[in-house]
């Protein structure tokens, strides 16, 4: 039998051993392939949002490809560790080191080719579902048609075969530094007592707490400048948290008799320090990847909620039209006729804005009181109440990062010499005519000479469904064409924003899911790497009298710590990151943030229950025990 045939048979006849590594690799291929199908879709290539889609999707592909390299490399490392004894036996039977490395290389190529084909086939089956969901995510008018993705298949096949070839060349070097005795001992080799530095443990705590404090105290754009240093500090603190502080805490627990000698804690804590030390880097990677997933998806959902609320709150009227320098009765009549044809009841309001110069060289905007009060009454705002030379200053903070309140300082107009004496401040988004504009009595407004700049604004209070308002706004925008005048339909503007933001949300959501599933897979591989050792250990423990229920409780506690320690850290990291994002935009993202974090915790809980049942069953089935 040739070495190539031996490698092929080894993979085929040991499907159960290779299944985990194969499925994780196929999953990475599938996700990359689905992205490629979307990025190369001809329906988007000919559309208006092609540039946004292509840029976002190809960026996502590069991120997933880099992640896939480390994910597959880690999976291969865990896989090789479980086979050390097998490699030692092969060497004892005459296989040379070169033949062993060639065997591992060829097995990797076989698995890589099979995973690439399987990932493309599965991804091809899911493609239609993904393309249909894109209609909702991108707010497209029609579902994207299915097509045969030749470019996506070629790109995915070439990219992942190159990746598996590179990993195969890299992993064979792992076997060079292992002696025969090390391979035969495998995971039975005695481990040194795990140690932890008290100094580094306290440094970990200080770095994390300090990073949290800096992130939560910063406000506005300070958050942006503090983002990178805070992230670096927290990442370093997280590494020391798992490599030092976790082991240090377990040692402290073992020294406490009230904790260590309580029920089955002696079994749990005796092994926990070794588990925490062995899994420290895995925990660190899982925590960081999960934090990225939480923060990315939480921020995206928060931003979507934020821009929707901002557009709605800053525009109390469904539609606005602005004409510069001269009234535009023809355009206004067209807008009203379009709304009438669409069956939408409406009320229109007109406002003339004069931009005048003061004696100190500043330019201010002035509006008449009657027209202004009609607008704010419809918008349920505060009316102006001025007479004679009095004026009201309209100041709108906006939903985010507003300017300070203006001072009620008199101003003298250059052309007429009229002095306006502000006596009232009004905060309303009913109409935007500059940052701070003045409302004056109608007679004073008429006394002002025609200024160099006059703006005519029209507001339309329209009643109707979102879809009807969106269609009417799109039709009006098309009829107006490209002019110097400005039109805004709130529902149509939200529709356009959703088209652009839908791409970002689509990409961010999938990257977040990939990172999160990858994090769970890291834990899965780490657990099953130690499965053989756990079987032997719990066989001995069972013989000294512990019941099946007690063994299940010990395993459940260990699995809970291994699963939820990094997830708990990631949830706290993500919550702080999203709170800092709130401080930067001065907008409450609590609801979307809690929705995202809660969803991930629920998913992880379900994942834990499945793995816990399967893992305990595997441990006990080896010795004829029964799952309880």
């Amino acid at each position: 039998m040739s070495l190539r045939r031996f490698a092929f048979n080894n993979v085929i006849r040991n499907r159960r051993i290779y299944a985990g590594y194969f499925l994780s690799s196929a999953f990475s291929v599938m996700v990359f392939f689905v992205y490629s199908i979307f990025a190369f879709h001809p329906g988007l290539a000919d559309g208006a949002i092609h540039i946004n889609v292509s840029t976002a999707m190809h960026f996502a592909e590069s991120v997933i490809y880099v992640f896939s390299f480390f994910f597959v490399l880690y999976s291969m490392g865990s896989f090789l560790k479980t086979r050390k004894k097998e490699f030692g036996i092969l060497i004892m039977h005459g296989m040379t080191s070169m033949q062993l490395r060639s065997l591992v290389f060829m097995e990797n190529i076989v698995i890589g080719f099979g995973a690439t084909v399987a990932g493309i086939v599965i991804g091809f089956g899911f493609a239609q579902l993904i393309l249909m969901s894109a209609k909702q995510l991108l707010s497209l008018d029609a579902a994207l048609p299915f097509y045969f993705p030749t470019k996506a298949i070629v790109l995915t096949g070439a990219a992942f075969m190159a990746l598996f070839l590179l990993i195969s060349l890299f992993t064979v070097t792992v076997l060079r530094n292992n002696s025969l005795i090390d391979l035969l001992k495998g995971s039975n080799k005695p481990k040194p007592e795990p140690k932890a530095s008290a100094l580094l443990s306290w440094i970990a705590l200080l770095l994390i707490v300090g990073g949290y404090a800096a992130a939560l105290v910063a406000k506005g754009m300070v958050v942006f400048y503090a983002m990178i240093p805070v992230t670096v500090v927290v990442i370093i603190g997280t590494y020391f948290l798992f490599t030092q502080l976790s082991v240090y805490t377990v040692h402290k627990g073992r020294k406490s008799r009230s904790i260590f000698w309580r029920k089955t804690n002696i079994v749990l804590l005796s092994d926990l320090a070794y588990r925490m030390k062995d899994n420290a880097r895995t925990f660190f990677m899982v925590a960081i990847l999960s934090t990225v997933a939480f923060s990315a998806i939480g921020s995206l959902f928060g931003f979507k909620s934020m821009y929707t609320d901002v557009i709605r709150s800053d525009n109390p009227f469904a539609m606005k039209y602005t004409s510069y320098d001269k009234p535009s009765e023809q355009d206004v009549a067209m807008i009203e006729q379009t709304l009438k044809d669409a069956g939408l009841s409406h009320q229109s309001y007109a406002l003339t804005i004069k931009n005048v110069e003061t004696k100190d060289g500043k330019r201010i905007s002035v509006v008449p009181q009657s027209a202004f009060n009609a607008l704010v009454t419809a918008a349920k705002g505060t009316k102006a109440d001025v007479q004679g030379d009095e004026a009201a200053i309209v100041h709108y903070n906006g939903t985010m990062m507003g300017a300070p309140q203006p001072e009620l300082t008199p101003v003298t107009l250059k052309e007429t010499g009229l002095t306006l004496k502000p006596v009232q401040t009004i905060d309303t988004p009913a109409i935007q005519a500059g940052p701070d504009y003045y409302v004056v009595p109608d007679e004073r407004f008429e006394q002002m000479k025609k200024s160099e700049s006059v703006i005519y604004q029209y507001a339309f209070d329209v009643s109707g469904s979102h879809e009807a308002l969106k269609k009417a706004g799109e039709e009006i925008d098309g009829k107006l064409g490209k002019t110097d005048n400005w039109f805004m339909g709130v529902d149509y503007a939200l529709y356009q924003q959703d088209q652009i933001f839908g791409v970002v949300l689509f990409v961010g959501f999938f990257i977040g899911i990939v990172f999160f599933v990858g994090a769970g897979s890291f834990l899965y591989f780490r657990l099953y790497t130690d499965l053989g050792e756990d079987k032997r250990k719990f066989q001995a423990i069972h013989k000294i009298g512990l019941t099946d229920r007690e063994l299940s409780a010990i395993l459940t506690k260990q699995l809970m710590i291994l699963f939820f320690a990094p997830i708990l850290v990631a949830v706290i990291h993500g919550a702080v990151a999203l709170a800092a994002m709130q401080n930067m935009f001065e907008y409450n993202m609590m609801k979307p943030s809690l929705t995202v974090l809660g969803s991930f915790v629920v998913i992880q809980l379900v994942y834990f229950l499945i793995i816990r049942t399967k893992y305990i069953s595997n441990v006990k089935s080896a010795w004829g025990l029964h799952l309880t």
Side-chain angles (χ1 to χ4, degrees):
M1 180 186 298
S2 66
L3 190 62
R4 283 178 301 202
R5 187 66 183 174
F6 181 76
F8 181 78
N9 290 342
N10 203 29
V11 173
I12 298 300
R13 294 172 181 173
N14 294 280
R15 291 185 295 272
R16 180 180 162 278
I17 297 176
Y18 292 84
Y21 175 49
F22 173 82
L23 291 175
S24 66
S25 301
F27 172 79
S28 298
V29 175
M30 183 194 72
V31 174
F32 184 88
F33 180 63
V34 169
Y35 267 105
S36 299
I37 289 178
F38 198 84
F40 290 114
H41 197 286
L44 294 175
D46 299 330
I49 58 174
H50 166 60
I51 296 177
N52 295 323
V53 173
S54 287
T55 302
M57 299 307 295
H58 288 305
F59 172 75
E61 282 183 314
S62 62
V63 172
I64 292 174
Y65 190 73
V66 172
F67 172 77
S68 297
F69 174 81
F70 291 103
F71 179 48
V72 174
L73 182 63
Y74 179 86
S75 301
M76 171 51 80
S78 299
F79 175 62
L80 290 178
K81 184 178 179 181
T82 62
R83 300 180 62 204
K84 281 188 175 181
K85 183 175 288 187
E86 176 189 340
F87 294 152
I89 293 174
L90 289 174
I91 290 177
M92 284 185 62
H93 283 78
M95 179 173 283
T96 65
S97 296
M98 180 62 70
Q99 288 176 323
L100 179 61
R101 290 195 291 271
S102 299
L103 175 67
V104 173
F105 176 82
M106 286 185 282
E107 286 181 352
N108 255 343
I109 295 298
V110 171
I111 295 174
F113 178 78
T116 302
V117 173
I120 290 175
V121 171
I122 296 172
F124 194 83
F126 278 107
Q128 184 64 33
L129 179 63
I130 298 299
L131 292 172
M132 289 175 62
S133 68
K135 175 185 177 182
Q136 300 298 325
L137 288 170
L138 301 179
S139 299
L140 299 176
D141 293 329
L144 295 172
F146 190 76
Y147 78 109
F148 189 78
T150 304
K151 290 183 179 179
I153 292 174
V154 172
L155 175 64
T156 304
F160 274 88
M161 285 312 299
L163 183 145
F164 283 112
L165 178 62
L166 181 63
I167 289 179
S168 299
L169 293 171
F170 183 79
T171 52
V172 294
T173 60
V174 175
L175 301 174
R176 292 180 180 177
N177 299 323
N178 288 284
S179 62
L180 177 60
I181 189 64
D182 289 336
L183 292 174
L184 290 174
K185 286 182 177 181
S187 59
N188 296 325
K189 187 178 180 179
K191 299 178 181 178
E193 175 74 15
K195 297 180 180 180
S197 167
L199 176 61
L200 291 178
S201 300
W202 282 105
I203 288 176
L205 199 58
L206 290 174
L207 287 174
I208 293 175
V209 172
Y212 285 173
L216 296 175
V217 169
K219 302 291 182 181
M221 291 306 296
V222 177
V223 177
F224 177 78
Y225 296 115
M227 187 180 299
I228 294 179
V230 166
T231 301
V232 172
V233 166
V234 172
I235 288 176
I236 296 173
T238 304
Y239 180 79
F240 286 135
L241 168 68
F242 289 119
T243 58
Q244 302 295 326
L245 182 58
S246 61
V247 179
Y248 181 77
T249 304
V250 172
H251 281 318
K252 286 294 183 182
R254 290 169 62 178
K255 291 180 180 179
S256 174
R257 296 179 65 88
S258 60
I259 298 176
F260 190 62
W261 294 97
R262 182 179 175 82
K263 295 184 178 180
T264 57
N265 284 352
I266 186 172
V267 179
L268 174 66
L269 294 177
S270 294
D271 187 52
L272 190 58
Y274 291 94
R275 285 291 185 95
M276 297 302 289
K277 193 72 173 181
D278 290 343
N279 294 317
R281 290 183 177 85
T282 303
F283 287 169
F284 169 71
M285 188 176 296
V286 168
I288 298 303
L289 289 177
S290 299
T291 301
V292 171
F294 295 159
S295 301
I297 299 180
S299 297
L300 290 171
F301 274 94
F303 289 153
K304 187 179 189 303
S305 174
M306 180 176 65
Y307 80 67
T308 300
D309 289 348
V310 167
I311 291 178
R312 290 287 186 190
S313 61
D314 285 2
N315 298 278
F317 296 103
M319 296 181 184
K320 288 181 182 180
Y321 176 68
T322 301
S323 176
Y324 300 95
D325 295 333
K326 62 179 180 179
S328 185
E329 288 83 0
Q330 184 178 355
D331 287 344
V332 173
M334 181 273 293
I335 293 173
E336 292 182 332
Q337 186 61 44
T338 303
L339 294 175
K340 183 179 179 180
D341 294 342
L344 298 172
S345 60
H346 69 280
Q347 179 67 44
S348 60
Y349 302 90
L351 183 70
T352 302
I353 305 166
K354 291 182 179 179
N355 296 315
V356 296
E357 188 175 354
T358 63
K359 282 192 173 181
D360 56 2
K362 295 181 180 179
R363 297 187 69 85
I364 61 172
S365 298
V366 182
V367 300
Q369 181 174 219
S370 59
F372 174 81
N373 283 346
L375 277 165
V376 294
T377 299
K380 299 179 180 180
T382 303
K383 295 195 294 185
D385 184 13
V386 294
Q387 54 188 345
D389 294 338
E390 295 177 344
I393 299 179
V394 181
H395 169 79
Y396 180 52
N397 280 322
T399 307
M400 300 163 52
M401 296 182 287
Q405 289 286 338
E407 296 181 0
L408 299 179
T409 305
V411 294
T412 302
L413 305 185
K414 182 178 179 180
E415 293 183 351
T416 62
L418 176 65
T419 299
L420 302 180
K421 301 173 183 177
V423 296
Q424 184 183 7
T425 301
I426 300 173
D427 190 351
T428 177
I431 206 76
Q432 284 93 38
D436 295 318
Y437 59 96
Y438 292 74
V439 181
V440 299
D442 290 9
E443 59 271 18
R444 290 289 183 265
F445 185 79
E446 295 298 332
Q447 289 173 4
M448 296 179 188
K449 296 179 180 179
K450 179 175 175 58
S451 63
E452 296 178 0
S453 174
V454 180
I455 299 175
Y456 301 90
Q457 289 200 358
Y458 303 87
F460 302 87
D461 191 6
V462 190
S463 299
S465 66
H466 169 71
E467 186 64 26
L469 290 171
K470 187 264 289 184
K471 288 184 177 179
E474 185 176 11
E475 183 178 349
I476 293 169
D477 189 67
K479 289 180 179 179
L480 289 172
K482 295 182 179 180
T483 65
D484 293 334
N485 297 336
W486 176 81
F487 169 79
M488 177 183 181
V490 173
D491 293 86
Y492 181 52
L494 286 173
Y495 165 76
Q496 290 177 308
Q497 288 294 321
D498 284 340
Q499 280 194 306
I500 298 173
F501 195 85
V503 179
V504 181
L505 186 63
F506 182 83
V507 173
F509 181 76
F510 263 76
I511 291 180
I513 291 297
V514 169
F515 280 8
F516 191 72
V517 173
S521 299
F522 282 152
L523 295 173
Y524 174 88
F525 277 112
R526 190 61 206 173
L527 284 174
Y528 278 82
T529 298
D530 299 328
L531 181 59
E533 183 180 347
D534 280 349
K535 287 181 178 180
R536 291 187 293 272
K537 178 179 65 179
F538 282 105
Q539 180 191 29
I541 294 175
H542 180 69
K543 289 180 179 179
I544 64 176
L546 290 179
T547 65
D548 287 3
R549 186 176 298 275
E550 288 172 329
L551 288 173
S552 294
I554 294 170
L555 283 171
T556 299
K557 290 177 182 178
Q558 283 190 348
L559 292 176
M560 285 185 67
I561 293 173
L562 295 176
F563 260 80
F564 291 106
I567 296 300
L568 178 61
V569 172
V571 167
I572 297 173
H573 284 357
V576 173
L578 294 173
M581 199 71 68
Q582 286 186 174
N583 293 338
M584 183 166 70
F585 293 102
E586 297 183 5
Y587 177 84
N588 189 357
M589 295 184 181
M590 186 61 66
K591 184 177 179 180
S593 300
L594 291 178
T595 300
V596 171
L597 293 176
S599 300
F600 274 110
V601 170
V602 170
I603 293 171
Q604 189 69 13
L605 180 61
V606 173
Y607 190 32
F608 163 75
L609 292 176
I610 295 173
I611 295 301
R612 177 251 179 206
T613 301
K614 186 176 180 181
Y615 192 79
I616 294 177
S617 177
N618 284 336
V619 171
K620 291 187 173 183
S621 63
W623 311 111
L625 304 178
H626 301 287
L627 180 64
T628 58

